[in-house]
Coordinates of all heavy atoms in Angstrom, one line a residue:
Y39 N -19.4 -7.0 -45.1 CA -18.8 -8.2 -44.6 C -18.8 -8.3 -43.1 O -19.1 -9.4 -42.5 CB -17.3 -8.3 -45.1 CG -16.5 -9.4 -44.5 CD1 -16.7 -10.7 -44.8 CD2 -15.6 -9.1 -43.4 CE1 -16.0 -11.7 -44.2 CE2 -14.9 -10.1 -42.8 CZ -15.1 -11.4 -43.2 OH -14.5 -12.5 -42.6
L40 N -18.5 -7.2 -42.4 CA -18.5 -7.3 -40.9 C -19.9 -7.5 -40.4 O -20.0 -8.3 -39.4 CB -17.9 -6.0 -40.4 CG -16.4 -5.8 -40.6 CD1 -16.0 -4.4 -40.0 CD2 -15.6 -6.9 -39.9
E41 N -20.9 -6.9 -41.0 CA -22.3 -7.1 -40.5 C -22.6 -8.6 -40.7 O -23.3 -9.2 -39.8 CB -23.2 -6.2 -41.3 CG -23.2 -4.8 -40.9 CD -23.6 -4.6 -39.4 OE1 -24.6 -5.3 -39.0 OE2 -23.0 -3.8 -38.7
E42 N -22.3 -9.2 -41.8 CA -22.6 -10.6 -42.1 C -21.8 -11.5 -41.1 O -22.4 -12.4 -40.6 CB -22.2 -10.9 -43.5 CG -22.6 -12.4 -43.9 CD -22.2 -12.7 -45.3 OE1 -22.3 -11.8 -46.2 OE2 -21.8 -13.8 -45.6
A43 N -20.6 -11.2 -40.8 CA -19.8 -12.0 -39.9 C -20.4 -11.9 -38.5 O -20.4 -12.8 -37.7 CB -18.3 -11.5 -39.9
K44 N -20.8 -10.7 -38.1 CA -21.4 -10.5 -36.8 C -22.7 -11.3 -36.7 O -23.0 -11.9 -35.7 CB -21.7 -9.0 -36.6 CG -22.1 -8.7 -35.1 CD -22.0 -7.2 -34.9 CE -23.0 -6.4 -35.6 NZ -23.1 -5.0 -35.2
T45 N -23.5 -11.4 -37.7 CA -24.7 -12.2 -37.7 C -24.4 -13.6 -37.6 O -25.0 -14.4 -36.8 CB -25.5 -11.9 -39.0 OG1 -25.8 -10.5 -39.2 CG2 -26.8 -12.7 -39.0
R46 N -23.4 -14.1 -38.4 CA -23.0 -15.5 -38.2 C -22.5 -15.8 -36.9 O -22.8 -16.9 -36.3 CB -21.9 -15.8 -39.3 CG -22.4 -16.0 -40.7 CD -21.3 -16.7 -41.5 NE -20.0 -16.0 -41.3 CZ -19.3 -15.3 -42.2 NH1 -19.9 -15.2 -43.4 NH2 -18.2 -14.7 -42.0
Q47 N -21.7 -14.9 -36.3 CA -21.2 -15.1 -34.9 C -22.3 -15.2 -33.9 O -22.3 -16.0 -33.0 CB -20.2 -14.0 -34.6 CG -19.6 -14.1 -33.2 CD -18.7 -15.3 -33.1 OE1 -18.1 -15.8 -34.0 NE2 -18.6 -15.8 -31.9
G48 N -23.3 -14.3 -34.1 CA -24.4 -14.4 -33.2 C -25.2 -15.7 -33.2 O -25.6 -16.2 -32.2
R49 N -25.3 -16.2 -34.4 CA -26.0 -17.5 -34.6 C -25.1 -18.6 -33.9 O -25.7 -19.4 -33.2 CB -26.2 -17.8 -36.0 CG -27.4 -17.2 -36.7 CD -27.7 -17.8 -38.0 NE -26.6 -17.8 -38.9 CZ -26.4 -16.9 -39.9 NH1 -27.2 -15.9 -40.0 NH2 -25.3 -17.0 -40.7
S50 N -23.8 -18.6 -34.1 CA -23.0 -19.6 -33.5 C -23.0 -19.5 -32.0 O -23.0 -20.6 -31.3 CB -21.6 -19.6 -34.1 OG -20.9 -18.4 -33.7
E51 N -23.0 -18.3 -31.4 CA -23.1 -18.2 -30.0 C -24.4 -18.8 -29.5 O -24.4 -19.5 -28.5 CB -22.9 -16.7 -29.6 CG -21.5 -16.3 -29.3 CD -21.5 -14.9 -28.8 OE1 -22.2 -14.6 -27.8 OE2 -20.6 -14.1 -29.3
A52 N -25.5 -18.5 -30.2 CA -26.8 -19.0 -29.7 C -26.8 -20.5 -29.8 O -27.3 -21.1 -29.0 CB -27.9 -18.4 -30.6
E53 N -26.2 -21.0 -30.9 CA -26.1 -22.5 -31.0 C -25.3 -23.1 -29.9 O -25.7 -24.1 -29.3 CB -25.5 -22.9 -32.3 CG -26.4 -22.6 -33.5 CD -25.7 -22.7 -34.9 OE1 -24.5 -23.2 -34.9 OE2 -26.3 -22.3 -35.9
I54 N -24.2 -22.5 -29.5 CA -23.3 -23.0 -28.5 C -24.1 -22.9 -27.1 O -24.1 -23.9 -26.4 CB -22.0 -22.2 -28.4 CG1 -21.1 -22.4 -29.6 CG2 -21.2 -22.5 -27.1 CD1 -20.0 -21.5 -29.7
K55 N -24.7 -21.8 -26.9 CA -25.5 -21.7 -25.6 C -26.6 -22.6 -25.5 O -27.1 -22.9 -24.4 CB -25.9 -20.2 -25.4 CG -24.8 -19.3 -25.1 CD -25.3 -17.9 -24.9 CE -24.1 -17.0 -24.5 NZ -24.5 -15.6 -24.3
S56 N -27.1 -23.1 -26.6 CA -28.2 -24.1 -26.5 C -27.8 -25.5 -26.5 O -28.6 -26.4 -26.3 CB -29.2 -23.9 -27.7 OG -28.5 -24.2 -28.9
M194 N -17.0 -21.7 -24.1 CA -17.5 -20.7 -25.1 C -16.3 -20.3 -26.0 O -16.5 -20.2 -27.2 CB -18.1 -19.5 -24.4 CG -18.6 -18.5 -25.3 SD -19.9 -19.1 -26.3 CE -21.3 -18.4 -25.5
N197 N -15.3 -23.2 -28.4 CA -16.3 -23.5 -29.4 C -16.8 -22.3 -30.2 O -17.6 -22.4 -31.1 CB -17.5 -24.2 -28.8 CG -17.1 -25.6 -28.2 OD1 -16.9 -26.5 -29.0 ND2 -16.9 -25.7 -26.9

Side-chain angles (χ1 to χ4, degrees):
Y39 168 77
L40 290 177
E41 284 300 318
E42 185 180 321
K44 192 164 66 171
T45 304
R46 281 193 314 247
Q47 181 63 26
R49 279 193 306 263
S50 65
E51 270 187 47
E53 290 169 8
I54 292 168
K55 287 183 178 181
S56 65
M194 180 61 101
N197 292 286

